[in-house]
Amino acid sequence: MSRAVFASSARLPGGWARDVTFAIDEAGSLASVTADSRPAPDAERAAGPVVPGQPNLHSHAFQRAMAGLAERVGRAGAGGKGGSGEGGGANDSFWAWRETMYRFLPHLGPDELEAVAAQLYVEMLEAGYVGVGEFHYLHHDPAGAAYADPAEMALRLIAAARATGIGLTLLPVLYGYGGFGGQPAGEGQRRFLNAPDALLAVVERAIRELAGDPQGRVGLAPHSLRAVTPETLRDGLAGLAALDPRAPVHIHVAEQTKEVEDCLAWSGRRPVRWLLDEAGPDARWCLVHATHMTADETRDLAASGAVAGLCPTTEANLGDGFFPAPDYLAAGGAWGIGSDSHISVDPVEELRWLEYGQRLLLRRRNVLAGASGHLGEDLWLASAAGGARALGRPTGRLAPGCRADLVVLDSESPCLAGREGAALLDAAVFAGNRRPLRDVMVGGRWCVREGRHLAREAVRAGFDAAMARLTA
């Protein structure tokens, strides 16, 4: 049944407007958006100003269950590439963190993945994320064998998204190797590995499962240039194009300096340059992290139309470095945010880290402000637009044809007192630590009311049971 929501103020693509009626069709999309309107007698009234919801363009759901496990020095078995973790933080790195992840993985089965993902998605929705790009590479059982249905783990993620109401762009990951040039994968990677044909079968199965569901989309994610060869990358992309020529493509790239050095040794080119030259990324692509780029790479990535997928809290947690944000934005580059390893699940914190990192690096303020001069609003809207492009779904804007994804700000929040218009999002992002969000609608369905997800208790019970098994 179609419905209407009336808001006293809302941030529309053309700016802030008053007395806005959102007409929502039966599929959960915005049929019309009318400013300076009178509320219809049967219209619901939003309890505060309405803004677009945020897409979370990069998630590894299973890592929600291991958040915090790598935050101690000298943890047993944290050796391997990058150091042992002994002797203080000087020897700790992304590569040591990765060993912690590998030790955690054997305990995670389909039931645990679904419960952890559902809990994560509840937390995302309560934070104002309305869609998620699930970069899914936990395909097989702990021995590395395919499940009876090779798409079992992908289907569990779809089930978690449906149970919680979040929009989902599922990105099954092509992962075949352990290093540049087709180096053999390690024991800890055996649950990830697929040849292109096997991975494309998972993609096709997910497409069938989500057929006709406007809340879902399927793409493909070559994990990184470390994990594919030019041949498997080509075959994966060709197979995806045969299934859906407009499907999103995501890839990790240039996150760590060691990755850049290894790519140079393998190909004579840095990873972003190799991708730009050989793969031709366009507006369907999302290059996740892209932390370490030259000035030319930064300019050319911006010109390609691809989205830079930035995950500031995870990048800080892993000691990755600083994305060249001022130059990228000056070149007109599209970008969005993701929570990645989920040591934080909050778009406000991601946006703050993005800006504050640049302030510390450059010793200036309001580094990333756009033309409006309102930093919080500029960051929120740019991230919403770039994230929507990366997820390949019509979200990120309150306009006809887009999904009815509405975030209602909490007018009672002290940080919003006396604020209106653009100053509302400036304050929502940069004033205080209490989340000033009240209600969240996704696809025409209220998922969060008064800050609480409607299925919070049931989902939490499943999560607690799963964590008890994982930590037994």
Side-chain angles (χ1 to χ4, degrees):
M1 174 181 287
S2 59
R3 61 197 298 191
V5 174
F6 178 84
S8 59
S9 66
R11 185 41 165 99
L12 306 184
W16 281 91
R18 294 194 177 278
D19 298 331
V20 179
T21 297
F22 298 100
I24 303 167
D25 66 23
E26 294 181 356
S29 294
L30 293 171
S32 64
V33 179
T34 308
D36 300 318
S37 61
R38 291 184 177 180
D42 59 346
E44 299 177 74
R45 288 180 177 262
V50 172
V51 298
Q54 279 291 335
N56 185 329
L57 57 66
H58 192 61
S59 165
H60 306 300
F62 74 90
Q63 291 180 18
R64 169 64 182 82
M66 60 168 279
L69 291 181
E71 305 309 314
R72 58 189 178 92
V73 176
R75 55 197 181 274
K81 298 176 183 178
S84 67
E86 302 288 351
N91 293 323
D92 211 338
S93 68
F94 164 85
W95 309 100
W97 172 90
R98 191 174 69 163
E99 294 300 319
T100 300
M101 179 183 71
Y102 291 164
R103 291 195 309 279
F104 174 79
L105 286 175
H107 309 287
L108 198 70
D111 290 343
E112 289 75 26
L113 177 64
E114 184 175 344
V116 169
Q119 175 64 27
L120 171 67
Y121 296 160
V122 163
E123 294 171 7
M124 287 185 184
L125 286 160
E126 290 183 347
Y129 288 121
V130 293
V132 59
E134 191 57 57
F135 200 100
H136 165 55
Y137 56 87
L138 188 60
H139 298 299
H140 305 315
D141 72 16
Y147 288 100
D149 184 340
E152 174 71 25
M153 298 295 254
L155 297 176
R156 295 304 189 103
L157 293 167
I158 293 172
R162 284 175 166 163
T164 58
I166 200 165
L168 175 70
T169 295
L170 184 69
L171 300 157
V173 170
L174 179 61
Y175 199 128
Y177 303 96
F180 289 96
Q183 297 176 40
E187 185 72 10
Q189 297 164 323
R190 61 189 177 185
R191 299 193 70 177
F192 312 157
L193 305 178
N194 276 305
D197 286 351
L199 192 279
L200 288 165
V202 173
V203 172
E204 185 174 15
R205 176 73 174 86
I207 289 174
R208 292 201 309 272
E209 178 66 24
L210 288 168
D213 184 349
Q215 285 292 95
R217 188 75 193 274
V218 184
L220 181 137
H223 177 272
S224 60
L225 292 179
R226 303 191 310 272
V228 298
T229 63
E231 294 76 22
T232 60
L233 176 62
R234 178 196 64 215
D235 292 347
L237 294 176
L240 179 68
L243 293 170
D244 180 356
R246 299 176 61 190
V249 178
H250 290 217
I251 187 170
H252 293 131
V253 65
E255 179 179 4
Q256 288 277 323
T257 54
K258 184 180 186 301
E259 177 188 348
V260 176
E261 293 162 0
D262 290 350
C263 189
L264 280 165
W266 164 64
S267 70
R269 285 174 284 182
R270 299 164 59 89
V272 171
R273 176 52 58 196
W274 192 97
L275 273 176
L276 290 167
D277 291 348
E278 302 295 336
D282 56 23
R284 296 179 304 123
W285 283 65
C286 177
L287 274 61
V288 181
H289 305 305
T291 309
H292 301 285
M293 295 192 288
T294 65
D296 286 350
E297 289 169 344
T298 301
R299 181 198 64 228
D300 292 348
L301 177 59
S304 74
V307 176
L310 309 180
C311 308
T313 61
T314 292
E315 291 153 6
N317 182 268
L318 297 176
D320 289 346
F322 294 102
F323 178 78
D327 291 344
Y328 184 76
L329 269 61
W335 60 277
I337 54 170
S339 57
D340 196 348
S341 66
H342 315 303
I343 48 95
S344 175
V345 185
D346 190 340
V348 165
E349 190 171 12
E350 300 297 340
L351 296 175
R352 284 184 182 176
W353 267 101
L354 180 62
E355 167 67 20
Y356 286 167
Q358 299 298 321
R359 292 188 188 191
L360 292 168
L361 188 65
L362 301 173
R363 291 178 288 178
R364 292 193 284 116
R365 297 189 71 253
N366 295 321
V367 176
L368 303 180
S372 80
H374 284 274
L375 178 61
E377 178 167 283
D378 287 342
L379 291 175
W380 187 274
L381 296 177
S383 175
R389 183 191 300 183
L391 298 189
R393 298 183 61 246
T395 66
R397 301 168 71 245
L398 300 180
C402 291
R403 299 296 291 160
D405 293 352
L406 314 181
V407 168
V408 182
L409 299 179
D410 183 3
S411 298
E412 302 300 317
S413 173
C415 76
L416 302 185
R419 312 295 171 85
E420 61 180 23
L424 282 166
L425 278 172
D426 287 350
V429 175
F430 289 105
N433 291 321
R434 292 183 61 187
R435 210 176 269 156
L437 308 182
R438 189 184 189 281
D439 304 321
V440 178
M441 172 184 280
V442 182
R445 167 188 171 192
W446 291 112
C447 297
V448 176
R449 286 292 207 179
E450 298 182 7
R452 295 178 65 87
H453 192 282
L454 299 181
R456 180 197 274 192
E457 285 75 18
V459 169
R460 178 61 189 271
F463 175 74
D464 286 348
M467 291 302 294
R469 294 192 298 272
L470 287 170
T471 57

